[in-house]
């Protein structure tokens, strides 16, 4: 059994995931009732990632801050600018796409107990309240803004502690990282359960009525992933952007697609950054931060749904309102939670810009949940893969200035 396991883990993780996908699809089609028990593998996998990710981030950030030396340069400023720029440009793409290909929604009366934020002030207030959340509560609930705030604060003051204390923190972070890598090895089995659950529960019939909306959403996300992001990469590193872009989509995007959670995909992105040869002191902060504020996919979702609702109701949207929507969607997307369906709750906020009532807006949210099996998966894949992409190009841009050679070959080992 040990030899069999060793041979299994030597196979590329992506190849193993593809095997899990094929098995999950096959069982969902051939034996959806008899094989229903495998759903638990998907639940266990995602739950394990969500459980360990907050603890990992907490200790990694503390360790990174503790080891940071005064005067040491980091790329965090560039990374944050890239996060915000990428999210705003994604919103612009969604607005333009919605004007070119307007979509009508099928709105039906529905009841909902969901309480979305009422305005942009509510979003910003929520972000600030999350910032000062009880650190234990932040760990339990996976509040990464709060986790980042407290871990940076703890790490800053721990820098004045003795070397033994610092070593303990660093050792704990390394142990947790090994635990996370062990969990990631279970991805093929977990994804088998996830894809089986998606197909057997939702099927494809319910998606056909919203085909045009799905195409618009995925078209905008694809444009950002294969046009906008590569252009940003080229501007930063001045070389062919597609090898790095495609590797980030392949190694980070695929797992994010199935877990549908930027937060749960943090350990995967951490591992990818390590294989890319990036500075651990930087990516241990930028990756969890990206899972919170780098939300290009969420900005697209919010913009497309809001403009589709406006078009359905015959609301005329002028250029000024379109620009305002882009800014509002980008800011709102930064407030979207890093869990499945987080961006949908911010649709009413964007709809309010056009005077659309909350009752109608919540019906639009209902449409979002209907197609969420595709929309949210692709949104998360774009969000999470871009976290690694922007973190890497910020560092590679410095490498270029220093005359160092930029090579992406190391990433080939990430799945081995």
């Amino acid at each position: 059994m040990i030899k069999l396991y060793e041979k299994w883990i030597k196979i590329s993780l992506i190849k193993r995931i593809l095997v899990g996908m094929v098995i999950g699809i096959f069982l969902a089609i051939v034996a959806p009732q008899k094989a229903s028990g495998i759903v638990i593998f998907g639940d266990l996998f995602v739950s394990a990632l969500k459980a360990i990710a907050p603890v990992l981030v907490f200790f990694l950030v503390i360790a990174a801050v503790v080891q940071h030396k005064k005067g040491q340069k980091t790329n965090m400023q560039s990374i944050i600018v890239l996060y915000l720029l990428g999210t705003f440009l994604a919103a612009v793409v969604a607005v333009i796409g919605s004007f070119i290909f307007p979509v009508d929604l099928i709105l039906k009366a529905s009841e909902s107990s969901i309480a979305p934020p009422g305005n942009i002030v509510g979003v910003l207030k929520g972000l600030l309240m999350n910032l000062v959340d009880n650190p234990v509560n932040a760990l339990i609930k996976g509040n990464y803004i709060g986790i980042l705030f407290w871990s940076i604060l703890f790490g800053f003051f721990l820098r004045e502690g003795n070397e033994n204390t610092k070593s303990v923190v660093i050792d704990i972070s390394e142990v947790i990282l090994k635990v996370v890598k062990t969990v990631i090895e279970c991805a093929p089995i977990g994804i088998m359960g996830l894809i089986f659950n998606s197909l057997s529960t939702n099927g494809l019939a319910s998606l056909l009525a919203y085909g045009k909306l799905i195409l618009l959403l995925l078209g905008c996300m694809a444009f950002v992933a294969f046009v906008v992001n590569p252009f940003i990469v080229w501007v930063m590193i001045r070389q062919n952007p597609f090898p790095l872009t495609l590797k980030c989509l392949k190694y980070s995007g695929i797992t994010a697609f199935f877990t549908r959670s930027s937060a749960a995909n943090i350990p995967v992105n951490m591992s990818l950054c390590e294989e890319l040869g990036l500075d651990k002191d930087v990516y241990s902060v930028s990756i969890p931060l990206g899972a919170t504020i780098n939300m290009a996919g969420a900005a697209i979702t919010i913009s497309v749904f809001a403009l589709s609702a406006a078009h359905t109701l015959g609301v005329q949207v002028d250029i000024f309102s379109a620009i305002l929507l882009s800014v509002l969607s980008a800011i709102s997307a930064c407030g979207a939670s890093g869990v499945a369906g987080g961006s949908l709750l911010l649709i009413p906020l964007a709809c309010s810009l056009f005077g659309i009532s909350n009752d109608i807006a919540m019906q639009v949210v209902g449409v979002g949940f209907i197609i969420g099996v595709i929309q949210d998966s692709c949104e998360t894949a774009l969000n999470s893969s871009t976290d690694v992409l922007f973190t890497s190009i910020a560092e590679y841009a410095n490498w270029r200035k220093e005359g160092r050679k930029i090579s992406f070959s190391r990433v080939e080992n990430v799945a081995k």
Side-chain angles (χ1 to χ4, degrees):
M1 287 296 294
I2 296 177
K3 291 184 178 179
L4 185 63
Y5 174 75
E6 290 176 348
K7 290 182 179 179
W8 171 250
I9 61 175
K10 286 182 180 179
I11 302 173
S12 166
L13 180 61
I14 299 301
K15 293 179 181 178
R16 284 183 278 152
I17 287 175
L18 290 175
V19 171
M21 288 171 56
V22 171
I23 295 174
I25 293 171
F26 176 78
L27 292 176
I29 295 173
V30 176
Q33 300 299 326
K34 293 182 179 179
S36 60
I38 67 171
V39 170
I40 193 173
F41 294 129
D43 295 337
L44 287 172
F45 175 64
V46 174
S47 296
L49 281 178
K50 287 182 178 179
I52 194 62
V55 182
L56 171 70
V57 171
F58 184 72
F59 280 99
L60 275 181
V61 173
I62 292 178
V65 175
V66 163
Q67 296 177 84
H68 182 266
K69 298 178 181 178
K70 292 183 179 180
Q72 183 179 348
K73 295 183 179 180
T74 67
N75 304 309
M76 282 305 302
Q77 185 176 355
S78 299
I79 294 170
I80 292 173
V81 170
L82 287 170
Y83 282 170
L84 298 178
L85 176 64
T87 302
F88 173 72
L89 292 178
V92 172
V93 168
V95 168
I96 295 174
S98 296
F99 272 109
I100 298 174
F101 304 104
V103 173
D104 286 316
L105 301 178
I106 303 172
L107 300 178
K108 298 179 182 180
S110 63
E111 297 181 358
S112 177
S113 60
I114 300 174
N119 50 50
I120 192 63
V121 176
V123 175
L124 295 177
K125 181 181 178 182
L127 283 173
L128 291 174
M129 293 305 294
N130 284 336
L131 194 72
V132 294
D133 189 14
N134 182 295
V136 177
N137 188 57
L139 284 168
I140 293 173
K141 293 187 176 181
N143 170 16
Y144 288 92
I145 284 289
I147 292 171
L148 281 170
F149 174 74
W150 291 115
S151 58
I152 290 172
L153 203 60
F154 290 172
F156 178 78
F157 288 110
L158 269 175
R159 291 198 302 177
E160 301 175 2
N162 60 54
E163 292 301 319
N164 290 335
T165 303
K166 295 178 183 178
S167 298
V168 170
V169 173
I170 295 169
D171 289 343
I172 291 175
S173 68
E174 292 295 333
V175 169
I176 296 173
L177 193 58
K178 291 179 180 178
V179 172
V180 170
K181 289 180 179 179
T182 302
V183 173
I184 293 174
E185 289 296 332
C186 300
I189 298 175
I191 287 174
M192 176 184 68
L194 289 171
I195 195 169
F196 174 87
N197 185 44
S198 295
L199 291 179
S200 60
T201 302
N202 299 285
L204 297 176
S206 61
L207 303 178
L208 297 179
Y210 301 99
K212 190 175 180 180
L213 176 62
I214 293 173
L215 288 175
L216 176 59
L217 284 165
L218 300 192
C220 291
M221 292 179 190
F223 188 86
V224 170
F226 297 107
V227 178
V228 176
N229 284 351
F231 178 74
I232 295 175
V233 173
W234 180 83
V235 170
M236 292 292 292
I237 65 175
R238 288 294 195 276
Q239 70 180 61
N240 183 359
F242 289 102
L244 179 61
T245 302
L246 295 177
K247 288 180 188 299
C248 290
L249 286 169
K250 179 180 178 182
Y251 293 104
S252 172
I254 289 179
T255 52
F257 180 90
F258 290 103
T259 61
R260 295 173 61 191
S261 170
S262 296
N265 210 50
I266 286 175
V268 177
N269 284 350
M270 292 280 200
S271 178
L272 179 54
C273 286
E274 181 184 359
E275 293 296 333
L276 283 167
L278 304 182
D279 186 351
K280 186 177 179 181
D281 289 348
V282 176
Y283 72 70
S284 60
V285 177
S286 68
I287 292 302
L289 180 63
T292 305
I293 68 170
N294 184 35
M295 294 288 177
I300 290 172
T301 296
I302 294 167
S303 299
V304 167
F305 273 97
L307 286 174
S308 297
H311 181 264
T312 302
L313 299 173
V315 177
Q316 297 297 320
V317 181
D318 56 31
I319 298 298
F320 176 76
S321 297
I323 295 173
L324 188 58
L325 175 63
S326 299
V327 176
L328 181 64
S329 296
I331 295 174
S332 299
C334 292
S337 60
V339 297
S343 61
L344 297 178
L345 299 183
L346 293 163
I347 292 173
L349 172 58
C351 286
S352 66
L353 182 64
F354 307 119
I356 298 173
S357 69
N358 191 58
D359 290 339
I360 298 297
M362 291 312 301
Q363 294 179 41
V364 179
V365 174
V367 173
F369 280 112
I370 291 175
I371 66 170
V373 64
I374 290 180
Q375 167 268 324
D376 197 44
S377 296
C378 294
E379 174 187 313
T380 309
L382 175 61
N383 290 343
S384 194
S385 61
T386 308
D387 293 346
V388 181
L389 185 68
F390 287 167
T391 295
S392 60
I393 62 173
E395 183 163 340
Y396 291 155
N398 287 338
W399 289 16
R400 183 175 68 86
K401 293 177 182 178
E402 296 169 359
R404 296 172 60 183
K405 182 180 179 181
I406 301 173
S407 175
F408 312 132
S409 59
R410 286 191 66 197
V411 77
E412 296 295 348
N413 298 320
V414 71
K416 296 182 181 180

